[in-house]
Amino acid sequence: MLMDYTYAIDLDDFVDDSTDCKTGECRVAVLPILFQISQIISESEDLPRSLAIILKVMQQRMRIGRGTVSLYDRESGKIFVHESFGGRDDQQALGASGPGRGITAKVVDSGKAIIVPELRDSPTKPNRTQLQADGSDLAVSFFCVPILRGRKVLGTISAERVYANRRLLKQDVELIATIASMIAPAVELYLLENIDKVRLENENRRLHDALKSRFKPTNIIGTSKPMQEVYDLIHKVATTKATVLILGESGVGKELVASAIHYHGATAEGPFIKFNCAALPESLGESELFGHEKGAFTGAIAQRKGRFEMADGGTIFLDEVGELSLAMQAKLLRVLQEKTFERVGGGRPVRVDVRIIAATNRNLPEMVEKGTFREDLFYRLNVFPITLPPLRDRGSDVILLVDHFIARHAAEGGREAKRVSTPALTMLMAYHWPGNVRELENVIERSVILSEDGVIHGYNLPPSLQTATETGTSFGCGLEAKLQAVEYEMIVEALKTHGGNATEAAKELGLTRRILGLRMEKYALNYKTYRKR
């Protein structure tokens, strides 16, 4: 180990002779103790047991006056006293310190040992709360060595005592450094089990609570009557383990509803596994759902769990269930009936306890009549159906969703978009939204990127929304039409700002009252529409 002999004394000038017992302190006697410590660590890596022996050796065999084992929490940057002897109880309670304070912190920062032959000559002393009031401690020597695992500092071992022989000080530093390297694996395991594990558990709990908050029904955007009815159904079914079938057009938020049911249900603590039934061909779909045994087919080099087995104790969400082939429907029916299945290439039944939530945008009763969907499977899935309304039937929910998506994408993209102009909002409200909420989010994300003045204008929206029907104008699609669209928006914004006062609106636009009147007549605008009530 590289020693940082910080002060002006060359300890290498002394002859190494660990068998010299003229001082009455022969260090050869501690060799059996080192062997004993190594045995304990190799057998169990029990840090408390090892430290008890180490501190006893330091105190009784090495005649150390004070000894401290400190551990370092890399995540928080804190150094704390784990075990010590030779100090008053109230002083030991003050052992916790932050990086940058004292010699221990310097050792942690550098990863090198520090030796202070006499504290009286040191500009940097250990924590003053640990010194005697009469200053007698300043005559002692102090050293601190790091506990290293590779290049990672896990903590330190420090000691204080009076040395008549500087050769003995050097031997003690090397001996404690050897002990530190021996216990490093045990210290790393202890930190992992008692500090890192607790932190990870707390972080996992926080993330799980955040997921519950994110997906609870009250966080689904929308206050329209159709959505209130959906919320009521979610609250009623969430606490049960009934199979749920979510119906609705593409993009209405079926996965969001499935998440809300899971995270507020009886299986909330279990896994939430999603599977898109239309994403894989039938040959791979069976392996994905039910898993396979080693050697079941070419490329199956090991046993693999399927989605049902991964969801054991939780919920599996089968999206686009209407896309399953008849053969896969038969296999799924058995799982629904018996909660058991066999892996591909296996003969042993696997039992699972899993809640099933399915979703589709297909008309399943019509598929049953045509013979493309099994009737018995339909009834098994259709225990508790929830039909989500399309966006065009949700009225003012469009405004709430627009505000939500503007805030989200403006924050993510570092943009300044804050609101939607009145003409643009008119277009958004009038559009029929065949792609539902998913299409609306894509439109808003695009518009936020195009916006240059913090406002989303009609000309920032896709061409599919800019039609004469939605704007109340006949702008066409050329350069002149574009200029008219901008002019129309500016007039509407000015009238809205001044509450329908055409004179003030004309001043803002730099027009005469007469010219503004002609432009308003051109676009069939009436100032009374914008008067404040």
Side-chain angles (χ1 to χ4, degrees), residues 327-344:
M328 284 296 296
Q329 292 176 31
K331 293 180 172 64
L332 178 59
L333 178 63
R334 182 189 174 190
V335 179
L336 289 171
Q337 290 175 332
E338 304 176 9
K339 302 294 186 192
T340 60
F341 59 89
E342 288 91 29
R343 300 189 189 99
V344 177

Side-chain angles (χ1 to χ4, degrees), residues 108-331:
V108 168
D109 290 340
S110 66
K112 298 178 181 179
I114 291 179
I115 301 174
V116 184
E118 287 190 6
L119 288 178
R120 71 173 77 251
D121 300 326
S122 169
T124 305
K125 300 176 178 60
N127 193 331
R128 291 185 179 273
T129 60
Q130 296 182 357
L131 298 178
Q132 298 292 344
D134 60 3
S136 59
D137 284 359
L138 296 178
V140 304
S141 300
F142 175 87
F143 62 87
C144 182
V145 301
I147 302 173
L148 291 171
R149 180 72 164 164
R151 295 186 177 181
K152 184 166 63 175
V153 180
L154 306 175
T156 64
I157 302 178
S158 58
E160 297 177 34
R161 67 157 285 179
V162 176
Y163 286 95
N165 187 337
R166 293 292 176 81
R167 182 192 307 122
L168 191 60
L169 170 59
K170 180 176 183 290
Q171 289 177 359
D172 281 356
V173 173
E174 294 175 342
L175 180 59
I176 295 300
T178 302
I179 293 175
S181 65
M182 292 170 62
I183 66 170
V187 172
E188 184 177 42
L189 183 62
Y190 177 87
L191 289 172
L192 181 63
E193 291 181 345
N194 295 276
I195 296 179
D196 294 347
K197 181 180 179 182
V198 172
R199 184 187 299 111
L200 290 173
E201 288 176 349
N202 292 336
E203 179 67 8
N204 183 62
R205 190 177 298 109
R206 184 189 67 79
L207 291 174
H208 191 270
D209 291 342
L211 280 173
K212 289 181 71 175
S213 175
R214 178 183 174 189
F215 292 112
K216 66 182 180 181
T218 52
N219 276 6
I220 299 176
I221 307 299
T223 57
S224 61
K225 184 179 179 182
M227 288 305 298
Q228 291 293 340
E229 294 173 355
V230 170
Y231 298 159
D232 184 54
L233 293 175
I234 291 174
H235 280 294
K236 289 179 178 177
V237 77
T239 55
T240 73
K241 295 187 70 174
T243 300
V244 179
L245 178 61
I246 305 174
L247 305 169
E249 299 176 4
S250 293
V252 293
K254 295 188 285 292
E255 183 175 327
L256 188 65
V257 171
S259 300
I261 293 173
H262 168 74
Y263 286 110
H264 286 78
T267 60
E269 299 300 324
F272 180 55
I273 304 299
K274 307 170 190 177
F275 179 73
N276 190 326
C277 300
L280 295 171
E282 182 180 350
S283 58
L284 294 177
E286 184 177 0
S287 174
E288 283 292 320
L289 279 176
F290 308 118
H292 61 253
E293 298 288 351
K294 180 179 180 181
F297 50 83
T298 303
I301 60 176
Q303 185 190 81
R304 183 179 184 277
K305 289 184 178 181
R307 303 299 176 91
F308 270 98
E309 204 166 348
M310 293 165 61
D312 190 23
T315 302
I316 185 169
F317 174 52
L318 302 175
D319 198 8
E320 304 295 347
V321 71
E323 307 301 324
L324 287 174
S325 66
L326 288 173
M328 284 296 296
Q329 292 176 31
K331 293 180 172 64

Side-chain angles (χ1 to χ4, degrees), residues 357-368:
I357 301 177
T360 183
N361 61 351
R362 304 285 294 272
N363 187 331
L364 293 186
E366 184 179 309
M367 293 179 66
V368 169

Side-chain angles (χ1 to χ4, degrees), residues 77 138 147 299 397 449 502 510 530:
L138 296 178
I147 302 173
D397 284 354
I449 296 172
Y530 303 96

Side-chain angles (χ1 to χ4, degrees), residues 47-98:
L47 182 64
R49 186 180 175 191
S50 300
L51 288 182
I53 297 175
I54 291 168
L55 295 175
K56 186 175 180 180
V57 170
M58 291 173 64
Q59 189 172 22
Q60 297 181 2
R61 300 295 183 91
M62 300 175 66
R63 300 182 186 179
I64 300 292
R66 288 181 189 163
T68 302
V69 177
S70 300
L71 300 184
Y72 175 47
D73 181 4
R74 298 174 63 87
E75 188 70 23
S76 66
K78 291 183 178 180
I79 304 168
F80 57 93
V81 175
H82 182 66
E83 292 286 349
S84 65
F85 66 86
R88 297 194 303 272
D89 292 340
D90 59 333
Q91 293 174 345
Q92 293 178 19
L94 297 173
S97 62

